[in-house]
Amino acid sequence: MSSHPSADHPAAQPPGQGSVEALISQTRRLRGDVDAVRRDSQDDTQNPRGRWQRALYDLALHQLTDLDAHLAQLRDGPAPAPRAGSLLSRVGSAEWNLLTDEAEWSAELFHILGRDPASVPLSLDELPSLVLTEDRPKLTAMVTDCLVDGRPIDGEFRVVRPDGSVRTVHMMGEPVLDADGSTASMWAVLRDVGELRRSQRAVSETRDSFRHRPSPPWQGLLRFPDEGRPGLDLAAAHLPPTSGTGRRSRDGGWYDACPLGADGETLLTVGDFGRPQAEAHGPAVLIGALRGLALAGTRPGRLRDRLAELLRATALPSVDGAVYCGYRPDTRTLTWAHASGPVPLLFRGGTGHALSGQDGPSGQAEATLEAGDLLLLHTGALEPAAVEHLLSLAPRLTAADSAGDGVRLVTRELDEFPGRQDTCVLMARVTP
């Protein structure tokens, strides 16, 4: 690859062999120390905290092993192949000449992107064709900021390889200036960080497993479909009230997902009772009634009235606010009705907004969703400021790899709001 002076600083000289050898020795000593501590650890791996500690040790060892490999590459030059199971995998490089529209890629970059090394490198205009649709605006913004404003590139996006596999790629780069100070080209290094992100999620999930708040008692009676529904990746959580709210109930709300008639359609519901509900079986009875109505083919726009009729024959309080959504995976159509409750929040392409639209004659509004969309339903206990904060999380939520990751982010953020009432949230991610 040709070399140019950086836009902000002269090119750094490579470190001496002795300096790199010293770094390699330090890294290997530290890796040995970490491995010894891990082996001497007496934590029970059957215990949630023990599993989290072991996952964190494994992540640290993986990163130190990869650091060793990268330092060795500095010393010896490009390696023919990465270590099996490497977290950082190959590091590729590229340069795009803006004057000739030519591109130069390293062999490692062809491997990362799963392309034939004999093929022609893609231009900057063609590069987004490899990127997942929902991540293309992110890549476009990074490249534009680099070329127009001279900002360094430092971000991640997901690419689809020819075999259909999806890889998360971390890209760093800068503009390169010519003698007149104009942007002549852009260089970048890219690395596959999919394994690293999966290992980090394992640490996060094992940590959450011993920190996680207890599930509502009614979950023991009615199973939430954690495995998802046709066309949807699902996750949900119940947040008990923060201290000082004065609310006695722990289980005043509910969330659920179940079949809505035939054809793979799903009913998604979140709601709250009109007064504190102390009995643990209350939400279970209500969810059971909703499931029965859904299986009988009752559409979301009619659920409020039909449910009110059923509740009048019980000792349960009325429903204060709820949202009822039906999702058809074949057309990706969402129909929804909110019984004086909060409206669904839709996150797409790094932005979020509340769904709008007047209920039609059927009592339902309708929206068409896209692959990668995130739908967030919540109970009416959230203050407007908390809802606005959730909308501000759009870039982080749309970058989440799963509905579970999104719910974990939402619950962590909502835990920071003092005086919050008990709340239920349900997140559905539209799958390809």
Side-chain angles (χ1 to χ4, degrees):
M1 236 181 165
S2 59
S3 61
H4 298 273
S6 166
D8 299 315
H9 51 75
Q13 296 300 312
Q17 291 292 93
S19 300
V20 175
E21 285 290 354
L23 291 173
I24 291 174
S25 297
Q26 293 173 23
T27 300
R28 290 176 179 175
R29 283 196 299 271
L30 179 57
R31 184 181 61 189
D33 292 343
V34 172
D35 189 38
V37 173
R38 182 189 66 161
R39 284 186 280 104
D40 292 341
S41 175
Q42 299 301 313
D43 285 310
D44 182 4
T45 57
Q46 298 305 311
N47 178 277
R49 187 178 190 87
R51 289 195 297 269
W52 167 73
Q53 290 179 333
R54 179 52 59 94
L56 203 53
Y57 279 130
D58 289 344
L59 175 60
L61 286 171
H62 275 305
Q63 290 177 315
L64 287 169
T65 300
D66 282 307
L67 177 59
D68 181 15
H70 286 309
L71 290 173
Q73 186 176 349
L74 278 176
R75 180 192 61 194
D76 304 331
R83 174 181 62 85
S86 167
L87 292 181
L88 299 184
S89 188
R90 292 175 180 259
V91 177
S93 57
E95 186 167 331
W96 290 274
N97 190 308
L98 303 181
L99 304 180
T100 64
D101 203 30
E102 294 178 340
E104 293 182 55
W105 287 10
S106 69
E108 289 83 2
L109 184 55
F110 280 97
H111 176 83
I112 289 171
L113 301 179
R115 296 181 64 82
D116 183 354
S119 64
V120 177
L122 299 184
S123 67
L124 275 178
D125 290 336
E126 296 170 325
L127 187 62
S129 66
L130 304 180
V131 179
L132 280 182
T133 302
E134 54 265 36
D135 287 359
R136 290 177 186 174
K138 185 191 308 182
L139 174 63
T140 300
M142 289 192 299
V143 172
T144 300
D145 289 345
C146 179
L147 298 181
V148 176
D149 300 326
R151 298 179 186 173
I153 288 177
D154 188 354
E156 296 182 5
F157 50 88
R158 291 164 295 173
V159 297
V160 182
R161 291 159 55 101
D163 62 3
S165 62
V166 177
R167 301 292 179 88
T168 300
V169 174
H170 184 200
M171 182 177 185
M172 298 181 68
E174 290 183 351
V176 179
L177 306 182
D178 60 17
D180 298 328
S182 301
T183 302
S185 62
M186 189 188 87
W187 67 265
V189 291
L190 299 93
R191 57 192 177 111
D192 182 348
V193 294
E195 289 296 330
L196 174 62
R197 296 295 171 255
R198 279 189 284 274
S199 188
Q200 289 173 332
R201 283 197 301 273
V203 171
S204 175
E205 289 169 359
T206 53
R207 178 197 63 212
D208 290 344
S209 69
F210 74 85
R211 285 179 162 180
H212 195 271
R213 55 186 59 84
S215 299
W218 46 267
Q219 271 209 18
L221 301 174
L222 292 167
R223 182 186 304 171
F224 181 79
D226 293 308
E227 70 280 4
R229 288 279 304 152
L232 294 175
D233 173 26
L234 298 174
H238 171 262
L239 290 76
T242 55
S243 59
T245 61
R247 184 165 180 170
R248 299 186 305 274
S249 170
R250 247 184 11 105
D251 307 302
W254 83 87
Y255 57 80
D256 190 41
C258 70
L260 178 58
D263 301 325
E265 191 171 4
T266 296
L267 175 68
L268 306 171
T269 64
V270 171
D272 205 351
F273 286 110
R275 57 180 170 81
Q277 173 61 31
E279 298 84 359
H281 66 269
V285 172
L286 183 140
I287 293 172
L290 279 172
R291 290 184 176 184
L293 291 171
L295 290 172
T298 305
R299 304 302 303 167
R302 290 278 299 145
L303 279 173
R304 176 182 60 179
D305 295 338
R306 296 296 306 276
L307 186 62
E309 295 173 6
L310 290 175
L311 290 179
R312 280 196 289 269
T314 73
L316 297 177
S318 62
V319 170
D320 182 38
V323 58
Y324 311 99
C325 297
Y327 178 73
R328 293 184 61 92
D330 53 346
T331 59
R332 291 182 178 156
T333 301
L334 180 78
T335 56
W336 56 278
H338 57 104
S340 302
V343 298
L345 306 181
L346 179 63
F347 298 88
R348 175 187 297 167
T351 63
H353 66 276
L355 289 179
S356 60
Q358 297 294 323
D359 294 349
S362 64
Q364 300 177 159
E366 187 173 293
T368 301
L369 304 185
E370 300 177 1
D373 282 355
L374 285 177
L375 187 72
L376 179 62
L377 311 182
H378 63 87
T379 50
L382 287 184
E383 297 292 332
V387 175
E388 287 299 318
H389 181 63
L390 292 181
L391 291 174
S392 74
L393 300 176
R396 296 165 63 188
L397 284 172
T398 53
D401 290 334
S402 66
D405 288 343
V407 164
R408 279 187 284 273
L409 171 60
V410 167
T411 54
R412 284 196 299 268
E413 294 291 328
L414 291 180
D415 278 341
E416 301 298 321
F417 275 80
R420 175 186 43 75
Q421 303 288 353
D422 59 334
T423 303
C424 288
V425 293
L426 186 156
M427 180 164 285
R429 180 178 183 179
V430 179
T431 57

